[in-house]
Amino acid sequence: MYLNFMHEAQSFQSQKHLGAGGGKRKVSTILLLGPAFVAAIAYVDPGNVAANLTAGAEYGYLLVWVLVAANLIAVLVQYLSSKLGLVSGQSLPGLLGSKLGTKTRLAYWLQAEAVAVATDLAEVIGGAIALKILFDLPLLLGGLIVGVVSLVLLSIQSTRGQRPFETVIMTLLGIIAVGFLAGLFVGDVDWGQAAGGIVPGLDGTNSIVLAASMLGATVMPHAIYLHSALSVDRHGKRPRSSIPQLLKASRWDVVLSLIIAGSVNIAMLLVAAASLRGQVGTDTIEGAHAVVSANLGEVVGLLFGIGLLASGLASSAVGSYAGAAIMQGLLRVDIPIVWQRAVTMIPAFIVLGIGADPTWSLVISQVVLSLGIPFAMVPLVKLTSNRSVMGEYANGRIVSVLAIAASGLIIILNVVLLVLLALGIE
């Protein structure tokens, strides 16, 4: 499989740097960073843009607390996923595929594939919107371009290895950060109200839908599956004695990458709350871009469009990586990336082709992702707490309690969301 194409070479490099004879030589921690920055792209994809701009435009600073809580949960979750891959030498989908029966495994794959479809829906549509903003291209054509470019980005990983792929994705993450943080420097953010938004609060069913959407866009299930695979593919078969250093590097990797991603998400909401609230036409990303350009200047508007495009391209490639890891682990088959990519992209093309509201489609896709989070988180917590899988690196009591509490919070929010939507309560 293309994800493991360079696995043997990566294993050699890991042993070369970390010491094949038991880890006597250690490489600098900074050289071990990278996998979390790739996974972090999932936290700043176009679905985040739609959810965060909508939340800020409709509710001001009310839902800042959702992003803060989601980012704290993400730090814990992504580290556990990375730790699972580093210690067990297998990805989360691979471990699940080896432990589940055939029927259960297929059912599990179906829900995971629904997550992959929802992910691609957000990424392709978001990239298409960016190309329309920047070059006035038709949405369907823009979606096709995003799909092709994502395959080109993936070819870097399969032909040149993990490190060059990480470098490209980290560069795109930097572009995304600049694109969406720029508005903070010229916008009139009320920092007092922004601080007040850290206190949890909701305002009706729509705010709950948006909260679930923001949560699904931040703690993304495909990123949970993905990070364990990234760690395995990057570090390969390493000496057991190297695990402590790899875990330390992983902690830094996760914290630094999610500080960037979290800052970008909060910046989106703050800019929307300061510049878009009460403005006509901000219920779409294109409309929001027009208002941002009018209120904050053409340069900020251009950076916004470039950031959105970088987000769509990078997240599309990373999402395909995750989809392939899920498919291989749960179905135990290697499917050419073009076919795997086609399956998850078709719904996005349908949405673009029939003229559905692309911004609201993005928000709904994030709700679907939120519903898929427990299916990734619960097994992750269980496996990383299992000594037969993790040995001495199994979760301690405090980490287990925090992980269970985070999973419980997400499940409760999803149940409340479904009940309110079913009852039609406003």
Side-chain angles (χ1 to χ4, degrees), residues 258-291:
L258 288 180
I259 283 176
I260 295 173
S263 298
V264 171
N265 279 321
I266 293 174
M268 291 179 202
L269 189 148
L270 296 183
V271 169
S275 305
L276 305 184
R277 196 169 191 194
Q279 299 281 340
V280 177
T282 58
D283 54 342
T284 67
I285 291 179
E286 292 175 79
H289 169 263
V291 174

Side-chain angles (χ1 to χ4, degrees), residues 80 83 87 240 247 381-397 399-400:
L80 291 182
K83 183 172 78 167
V87 175
R240 189 77 180 175
L247 292 176
V381 174
K382 185 174 181 180
L383 287 169
T384 53
S385 300
N386 189 334
R387 288 194 171 275
S388 66
V389 175
M390 303 296 291
E392 62 186 293
Y393 299 105
N395 296 338
R397 181 173 298 177
V399 173
S400 294

Side-chain angles (χ1 to χ4, degrees), residues 118-177:
T119 301
D120 238 1
L121 183 70
E123 293 154 352
V124 173
I125 291 178
I129 292 173
L131 288 171
K132 184 174 183 181
I133 288 173
L134 293 171
F135 305 109
D136 198 28
L137 294 180
L139 288 175
L140 187 57
L141 176 59
L144 289 169
I145 292 173
V146 170
V148 171
V149 174
S150 68
L151 288 174
V152 173
L153 292 176
L154 284 170
S155 71
I156 295 174
Q157 193 277 342
S158 62
T159 59
R160 296 180 178 271
Q162 195 80 0
R163 288 298 295 272
F165 177 71
E166 290 173 0
T167 300
V168 171
I169 296 300
M170 290 168 72
T171 300
L172 290 172
L173 178 60
I175 294 172
I176 294 166

Side-chain angles (χ1 to χ4, degrees), residues 74-117:
V75 169
L76 173 62
V77 171
Q78 293 306 136
Y79 173 66
L80 291 182
S81 179
S82 176
K83 183 172 78 167
L84 179 66
L86 292 172
V87 175
S88 71
Q90 298 184 67
S91 68
L92 175 57
L95 283 168
L96 289 172
S98 65
K99 293 178 178 296
L100 298 176
T102 301
K103 291 184 178 179
T104 305
R105 181 161 47 83
L106 291 176
Y108 202 95
W109 170 76
L110 285 175
Q111 66 80 29
E113 192 66 19
V115 164
V117 168

Side-chain angles (χ1 to χ4, degrees), residues 71-424:
N71 217 59
L72 291 174
I73 293 172
V75 169
L76 173 62
V77 171
Q78 293 306 136
Y79 173 66
L80 291 182
S81 179
S82 176
K83 183 172 78 167
L84 179 66
L86 292 172
V87 175
S88 71
Q90 298 184 67
S91 68
L92 175 57
L95 283 168
L96 289 172
S98 65
K99 293 178 178 296
L100 298 176
T102 301
K103 291 184 178 179
T104 305
R105 181 161 47 83
L106 291 176
Y108 202 95
W109 170 76
L110 285 175
Q111 66 80 29
E113 192 66 19
V115 164
V117 168
T119 301
D120 238 1
L121 183 70
E123 293 154 352
V124 173
I125 291 178
I129 292 173
L131 288 171
K132 184 174 183 181
I133 288 173
L134 293 171
F135 305 109
D136 198 28
L137 294 180
L139 288 175
L140 187 57
L141 176 59
L144 289 169
I145 292 173
V146 170
V148 171
V149 174
S150 68
L151 288 174
V152 173
L153 292 176
L154 284 170
S155 71
I156 295 174
Q157 193 277 342
S158 62
T159 59
R160 296 180 178 271
Q162 195 80 0
R163 288 298 295 272
F165 177 71
E166 290 173 0
T167 300
V168 171
I169 296 300
M170 290 168 72
T171 300
L172 290 172
L173 178 60
I175 294 172
I176 294 166
V178 171
F180 291 114
L181 289 172
L184 285 181
F185 296 96
V186 294
D188 187 21
V189 176
D190 187 325
W191 294 103
Q193 289 190 37
I198 296 175
V199 179
L202 294 166
D203 184 17
T205 302
N206 195 46
S207 70
I208 298 176
V209 173
L210 280 174
S213 178
M214 293 160 68
L215 185 64
T218 306
V219 187
M220 299 187 76
H222 83 283
I224 300 174
Y225 297 120
L226 171 66
H227 204 157
S228 56
L230 287 168
S231 295
V232 173
D233 289 347
R234 168 68 182 277
H235 298 296
K237 297 179 180 178
R238 65 282 165 202
R240 189 77 180 175
S241 60
S242 70
I243 291 179
Q245 188 193 12
L246 291 174
L247 292 176
K248 177 183 177 181
S250 180
R251 287 191 289 270
W252 279 106
D253 202 22
V254 169
V255 170
L256 291 174
S257 63
L258 288 180
I259 283 176
I260 295 173
S263 298
V264 171
N265 279 321
I266 293 174
M268 291 179 202
L269 189 148
L270 296 183
V271 169
S275 305
L276 305 184
R277 196 169 191 194
Q279 299 281 340
V280 177
T282 58
D283 54 342
T284 67
I285 291 179
E286 292 175 79
H289 169 263
V291 174
V292 166
S293 298
N295 291 350
L296 303 181
E298 291 296 330
V299 173
V300 173
L302 176 62
L303 291 174
F304 177 99
I306 293 172
L308 180 61
L309 179 58
S311 170
L313 295 176
S315 59
S316 186
V318 171
S320 294
Y321 195 130
I326 291 169
M327 188 170 287
Q328 183 193 41
L330 292 172
L331 294 186
R332 303 177 187 175
V333 293
D334 289 340
I335 296 178
I337 186 60
V338 173
W339 292 108
Q340 189 273 331
R341 191 83 179 92
V343 169
T344 56
M345 286 180 65
I346 288 173
F349 292 149
I350 292 175
V351 170
L352 293 174
I354 64 176
D357 180 354
T359 300
W360 189 242
S361 298
L362 288 178
V363 173
I364 293 300
S365 75
Q366 303 310 293
V367 175
V368 174
L369 291 176
S370 184
L371 296 175
I373 295 171
F375 293 96
M377 278 193 67
V378 172
L380 176 67
V381 174
K382 185 174 181 180
L383 287 169
T384 53
S385 300
N386 189 334
R387 288 194 171 275
S388 66
V389 175
M390 303 296 291
E392 62 186 293
Y393 299 105
N395 296 338
R397 181 173 298 177
I398 293 177
V399 173
S400 294
V401 169
L402 290 174
I404 292 171
S407 301
L409 174 64
I410 293 171
I411 292 171
I412 290 172
L413 179 59
N414 286 332
V415 170
V416 171
L417 169 65
L418 290 174
V419 170
L420 289 178
L421 289 177
L423 296 177

Side-chain angles (χ1 to χ4, degrees), residues 1-18:
M1 175 185 168
Y2 81 99
L3 294 179
N4 296 314
F5 183 82
M6 297 297 291
H7 190 92
E8 185 174 340
Q10 295 291 348
S11 299
F12 173 76
Q13 290 296 329
S14 296
Q15 295 198 18
K16 176 182 175 182
H17 289 300
L18 296 173

